[in-house]
Amino acid sequence: MQYSLSDLVIDTRSRTIRRGDDTIRLSDLSFDVLVALIEGAPEPLSGADLANAVWQSKHVSNETIAQRIALLRKALGDDSKHPRYIRTVRGNGYAVLGQIARVEVPTRSPSRRPPFAIPVMALTATACLMVVSLSWFSDEHPPNPLHDDAHSAEDGERSAALTRARALLALHQSVETDRAIGMLREVLAGAPEDFDARLSLSFALSTKATKFGGEIEHKQEAEALARALTQERPTSSNAWSALGYSLGSQGRMNESLSALQYAYQLDANNAPAGSSAAYVHLLQGQLYEALTLEFRVRASGGRSRYAEIQIAQSLELIGHPSAPNWHARALRLNPGQVVVLGEIARSHLRHGRPGEALDTLAQVEGKDALAPSILQLRGRANIALGKLGLARQQLQAAGRQGVYALAALDALAGSKDRAVELLSPAKLAQLNADPEPQFRIQLAEVAAASGDERQALGLIAQAVTLGWRDNKWLTQSPFIGALMETGEGRKLQRQIRREIEVQRRLTEGNPTLEKALRG
């Protein structure tokens, strides 16, 4: 079934929306909301009507529905104050605006079926433990969707499936990522050498592993796929991006940085590769380098989905007054997005605002609300609020991402089994090959909670050497906050402040960068 609404054509079978030659991408929930409003026209649909039609539930809050309408309007380019497509009917819900008509789709002889229209789409994924972002285009060797041979229908179906999988990945949601992985595996079952499908699957597996609690096997498979792709096409910027992404997902940050820098060198238009390299600089404490690279990418006309939140992170660490503005930009451009909301919640925790952190995390919807990173942050917020039972439940549900804080809680309660395992010589030896400072901070919390202040301070010192620049996180930690007020702890704080001061002076001493930051 196809409908027209003003200048939109909505196809319920392919679940696509077209405006002229452009295709508008919606999440499944947003698409279902739009179709429900169209099918209910001209009458408005109440919140209860939408809850039943879209969520098949009576227990959907008005706030959730309002947020979904806001996301739908944003995707359509609509304005609630001057609506073109969706209006709010006070006291009665929502209704569509404009003339609605069914569009007749002419039937065609199979022998004269036209080729599929495959748009070139930017696909985004997140990695490097929290917010590294990458986008890739299948423009180096675009798939030919239809050949003049007996395999044309099969090739067309494969290309359509690949396009659909990429559209699902671009939504950055847990359920859609799983569906995309399934679709890509089906494509590769019939065409195991398909370069674009393997590239997409590598990104998808890294995304699942880093963002939605996937297993180590997903990270390893993503790396194996990416390495094979770089060997097949050594000058493919996208293949090197995928490799950098998979390495970052494993905490191998130096290797990740090299791959991402090479991807950006191969193609200066690969903005997300440059932005991802900037994020690795951020993790390693090179905040000025991170900011200059982000703005070099922006100056060339490129944009990465998470550039704004990464810029906000660097600015907050150096105490720049523009940090709140960049947080607001990130939220405005990515409402409801897990990575952005997670980092804003971390900012609240960093400043001792656990209640505001929980309010921010409450904006995460659906299955994404169960992402390990979100559960871990909720657990930490509830520890700060003294709700230890609830915190323990959330940290347990977070799996590996919650194990460090959970071990620290256990140790404070007198049970040190988890702590002994995490701090065993074998586990600590693995740190030598891992340049990621965050793991050392997490282990320092476990050591401090176990009563070993010397080991905790040693781990914090290692983290600072590797680039940890977040004094506020240390002083607000429920496990090492008191330790940071000892003589050795204050010494480490001074070391961080000295490093931050250099980064701040470098930033302020670059007039072009300062103008861009305040613009």
Side-chain angles (χ1 to χ4, degrees):
M1 177 70 66
Q2 288 190 0
Y3 296 99
S4 68
L5 171 62
S6 186
D7 58 345
L8 303 177
V9 176
I10 299 97
D11 189 327
T12 60
R13 182 174 181 182
S14 64
R15 298 180 68 80
T16 59
I17 299 175
R18 297 193 309 278
R19 182 189 288 126
D21 294 329
D22 296 327
T23 300
I24 299 172
R25 303 293 166 188
L26 295 181
S27 69
D28 285 352
L29 273 176
S30 294
F31 187 90
D32 291 342
V33 168
L34 178 59
V35 171
L37 291 172
I38 289 172
E39 292 179 344
E43 298 300 320
L45 294 187
S46 66
D49 292 333
L50 286 170
N52 287 327
V54 177
W55 284 266
Q56 289 82 49
S57 171
K58 296 180 180 179
H59 306 290
V60 180
S61 69
N62 289 333
E63 181 182 1
T64 295
I65 293 171
Q67 289 176 349
R68 181 56 52 184
I69 292 291
L71 290 170
L72 174 57
R73 282 172 168 153
K74 181 177 185 295
L76 297 177
D78 206 5
D79 184 346
S80 60
K81 295 181 181 178
H82 306 285
R84 296 171 58 198
Y85 306 113
I86 301 170
R87 63 189 178 96
T88 301
V89 183
R90 183 168 300 183
N92 288 300
Y94 306 91
V96 291
L97 277 170
Q99 187 72 25
I100 300 172
R102 291 189 179 186
V103 180
E104 294 297 329
V105 182
T107 58
R108 297 179 182 269
S109 167
S111 63
R112 295 183 60 82
R113 190 171 72 180
F116 287 84
I118 307 295
V120 178
M121 296 185 301
L123 306 174
T124 311
T126 56
C128 289
L129 305 178
M130 188 165 60
V131 291
V132 170
S133 59
L134 299 166
S135 297
W136 70 98
F137 294 84
S138 121
D139 57 356
E140 294 169 310
H141 296 274
N144 183 0
L146 198 62
H147 304 287
D148 294 327
D149 57 27
H151 299 290
S152 60
E154 180 182 345
D155 291 344
E157 290 174 5
R158 186 164 62 244
S159 295
L162 181 56
T163 299
R164 176 62 177 153
R166 288 170 166 175
L168 291 172
L169 288 175
L171 299 175
H172 298 262
Q173 296 175 2
S174 177
V175 173
E176 280 79 1
T177 297
D178 286 338
R179 290 174 60 191
I181 289 172
M183 294 178 71
L184 290 167
R185 291 199 187 284
E186 288 182 11
V187 169
L188 289 170
E193 300 305 314
D194 189 301
F195 184 92
D196 294 289
R198 285 182 290 155
L199 179 69
S200 298
L201 182 58
S202 177
F203 277 106
L205 290 168
S206 292
T207 297
K208 179 175 177 61
T210 58
K211 189 174 174 185
F212 302 118
E215 302 298 327
I216 184 62
E217 291 78 10
H218 294 120
K219 303 176 185 180
Q220 293 170 342
E221 184 182 358
E223 180 187 353
L225 285 165
R227 288 199 181 280
L229 296 172
T230 59
Q231 290 172 4
E232 289 178 27
R233 298 183 189 172
T235 60
S236 168
S237 175
N238 295 328
W240 285 98
S241 289
L243 180 59
Y245 190 5
S246 66
L247 292 168
S249 74
Q250 299 173 60
R252 295 155 63 184
M253 308 310 295
N254 290 334
E255 295 175 78
S256 174
L257 180 59
S258 297
L260 293 167
Q261 288 175 324
Y262 188 52
Y264 190 54
Q265 183 185 87
L266 286 169
D267 181 6
N269 292 320
N270 190 344
S275 184
S276 297
Y279 183 68
V280 180
H281 282 309
L282 189 161
L283 288 178
Q284 296 178 339
Q286 301 161 352
L287 307 178
Y288 174 70
E289 287 83 351
L291 288 168
T292 53
L293 183 50
E294 288 283 14
F295 280 93
R296 190 187 314 156
V297 171
R298 293 171 74 89
S300 65
R303 186 185 180 278
S304 171
R305 181 164 189 163
Y306 300 111
E308 289 78 16
I309 195 65
Q310 292 171 193
I311 290 169
Q313 284 178 271
S314 293
L315 293 177
E316 184 172 353
L317 289 175
I318 66 174
H320 197 282
S322 295
N325 294 337
W326 285 93
H327 271 130
R329 289 189 193 188
L331 193 58
R332 185 171 66 251
L333 291 170
N334 299 281
Q337 214 290 320
V338 171
V339 171
V340 172
L341 291 172
E343 177 51 34
I344 291 174
R346 283 179 64 88
S347 176
H348 286 311
L349 290 175
R350 184 180 291 124
H351 290 88
R353 302 189 295 260
E356 292 181 49
L358 288 174
D359 289 343
T360 298
L361 296 171
Q363 298 176 44
V364 182
E365 295 183 345
K367 192 174 179 181
D368 289 353
L370 302 178
S373 60
I374 299 301
L375 291 168
Q376 188 251 12
L377 288 169
R378 284 194 173 121
R380 292 193 70 100
N382 280 308
I383 291 173
L385 292 169
K387 300 178 180 179
L388 301 187
L390 179 56
R392 183 176 297 278
Q393 293 175 14
Q394 292 165 335
L395 293 170
Q396 288 173 335
R400 285 194 302 275
Q401 290 201 31
V403 71
Y404 297 97
L406 194 59
L409 274 183
D410 286 348
L412 287 177
S415 176
K416 299 184 180 181
D417 291 345
R418 291 185 211 260
V420 168
E421 181 182 355
L422 290 174
L423 296 169
S424 67
K427 290 285 187 181
L428 292 174
Q430 296 175 6
L431 287 177
N432 296 329
D434 183 358
E436 164 56 33
Q438 179 174 313
F439 290 144
R440 287 164 173 79
I441 298 300
Q442 292 173 322
L443 282 172
E445 292 185 324
V446 177
S450 301
D452 193 337
E453 293 187 354
R454 182 177 179 181
Q455 185 177 36
L457 287 166
L459 287 163
I460 296 169
Q462 290 179 29
V464 173
T465 300
L466 290 170
W468 184 269
R469 299 293 179 260
D470 195 344
N471 256 336
K472 285 187 171 61
W473 187 266
L474 300 179
T475 56
Q476 288 293 332
S477 167
F479 307 112
I480 57 178
L483 186 60
M484 297 310 297
E485 298 305 318
T486 65
E488 285 299 312
R490 290 183 182 276
K491 181 178 178 181
L492 288 169
Q493 287 193 63
R494 288 194 295 271
Q495 182 179 345
I496 292 174
R497 283 196 292 270
R498 287 194 298 269
E499 296 290 343
I500 288 293
E501 177 67 14
V502 172
Q503 301 295 318
R504 184 182 63 79
R505 287 181 179 274
L506 285 167
T507 302
E508 292 177 346
N510 185 330
T512 302
L513 179 59
E514 269 294 296
K515 182 178 179 181
L517 289 172
R518 296 175 185 272

